Amino acid sequence: MSAEITLFVNPTAGSGRAAHAAQPAASALREAGLSVRTVVGGDAPDALARLRTAVREGTGAVIAVGGDGMVSLALQALAGTLVPLGVVAVGTGNDFARAMGLPVREPARAGRLAAEALKEGRVREIDLGRVAVAGDGAGGEDGAGARDGAGGTWYGTVLCSGFDSRVNDRGNRMRLPLGRFKYDLAMALELAAFRPFPYRITLDGGRVLETEATLVAVGNGSSYGGGMRICADAVPDDGLFDVVVVGDCSRTTLLKVFPRVYKGTHLDHPKVTVHRAAKVTLEAAGITAYADGEPLGPLPVTAQCVPAALRLLT
């Protein structure tokens, strides 16, 4: 293993927390005798291009400092390689770190954990989802910068579609209010116009479900949206997705069920079904797919669970 470690930093994550968090993380790595190189891009495609260069040149590991968006970028460069990923989670949601049992908003501790894992060779192989969007074979807000050349976008936690993605769509279009209040307002507005969506869901290329659904989530990890455990029972190293289908709820039922998502107890509700599959195709008109919180593009999309696609420092 190369002694040089790449610190992949998003200076804007968590309202600037990542820039400050990089310092104690780098100190922990250097105290362990590791050489640290920092990669910061001008924007997401530039950052990813720089990270891919570091991986090609033989970095010993990549430590992503930021939130789920930074981890998502790192996955595009590291999936399918032998270069391990460490995470210093200091973003807003931090669902990837939470699902993997890694420290959240504890940069010094996360840096020490990564350094110890490197010294001891402590690596966990986890699955990743790989998504193809109809029409171009790949997706993501970052365009070509987020694609891996062979077509497709990698994700580590949850691919979502339906009511939750409509809330994201609306929130992303709104300039005001700022912060979390914007998405609270977007949710209220989407509830006012709420209706279930007709889905066609194909599991493992065979079984087809045609159903009215409020939302469909395809989980490699358990949570999204900063701790909403939509796929609460998902295991990231079993070779299968948990496909959670929330059926044709009324507004009243949705308002009752949605708060239960934070504890994962919604899975017991009669309107919720869970399927397990290694390959899932979702089709529905007028719905955008999001994965790891990033927009992929309109349905249809096909997600494949790729076993042991990432080496994670734990």
Side-chain angles (χ1 to χ4, degrees):
M1 181 192 77
S2 168
E4 183 176 80
I5 307 304
T6 299
L7 209 61
F8 188 45
V9 182
N10 178 359
T12 65
S15 301
R17 279 192 298 267
H20 295 291
Q23 297 173 12
S27 294
L29 292 164
R30 291 188 176 110
E31 287 168 6
L34 299 165
S35 174
V36 179
R37 168 191 180 187
T38 301
V39 168
V40 181
D43 54 22
D46 179 52
L48 181 53
R50 291 171 184 267
L51 181 61
R52 284 180 169 148
T53 297
V55 171
R56 282 196 304 271
E57 290 176 351
T59 188
V62 171
I63 313 298
V65 184
D68 290 321
M70 207 60 176
V71 172
S72 178
L73 271 183
L75 297 183
Q76 312 313 312
L78 297 181
T81 75
L82 296 177
V83 179
L85 173 68
V87 178
V88 176
V90 290
T92 302
N94 304 311
D95 287 290
F96 182 87
R98 190 177 289 107
M100 304 305 163
L102 298 173
V104 172
R105 295 182 184 167
E106 297 182 86
R109 181 179 165 220
R112 288 194 299 271
L113 180 70
E116 290 167 5
L118 283 166
K119 286 292 191 180
E120 298 171 9
R122 198 170 64 237
V123 175
R124 179 185 181 189
E125 292 188 336
I126 66 167
D127 309 333
L128 294 177
R130 191 175 187 185
V131 190
V133 178
D136 68 0
E141 187 177 46
D142 301 322
R147 301 173 187 176
D148 62 9
T153 300
W154 297 93
Y155 76 95
T157 56
V158 177
L159 183 156
C160 70
S161 68
F163 176 75
D164 45 4
S165 64
R166 291 292 287 266
V167 170
N168 274 327
D169 285 344
R170 185 183 286 269
N172 290 341
R173 293 193 301 268
M174 295 166 61
R175 297 183 65 184
L176 294 173
L178 300 176
R180 186 70 204 176
F181 291 112
K182 177 167 65 174
Y183 291 94
D184 292 340
L185 178 58
M187 180 176 291
L189 293 171
E190 282 299 320
L191 273 171
F194 172 73
R195 70 187 191 286
F197 312 101
Y199 271 87
R200 179 182 173 91
I201 305 167
T202 305
L203 304 174
D204 288 328
R207 185 184 178 197
V208 176
L209 308 173
E210 295 193 358
T211 185
E212 296 278 320
T214 300
L215 65 88
V216 180
V218 182
N220 181 60
S222 57
S223 70
Y224 68 168
M228 292 189 287
R229 302 185 68 234
I230 186 68
C231 300
D233 295 335
V235 178
D237 57 5
D238 63 353
L240 294 170
F241 293 127
D242 277 24
V243 184
V244 175
V245 181
V246 179
D248 56 343
C249 295
S250 65
R251 287 190 190 90
T252 301
T253 300
L254 181 58
L255 285 169
K256 289 180 179 178
V257 172
F258 201 79
R260 295 172 58 179
V261 172
Y262 287 94
K263 293 185 178 180
T265 57
H266 64 292
L267 298 181
D268 296 332
H269 194 278
K271 286 292 186 180
V272 179
T273 56
V274 181
H275 311 272
R276 309 198 75 221
K279 184 178 181 181
V280 183
T281 298
L282 304 180
E283 300 172 77
I287 301 296
T288 303
Y290 285 72
D292 287 345
E294 302 295 322
L296 293 171
L299 300 189
V301 300
T302 296
Q304 179 79 45
C305 185
V306 182
L310 180 73
R311 305 180 77 229
L312 184 68
L313 298 173
T314 59

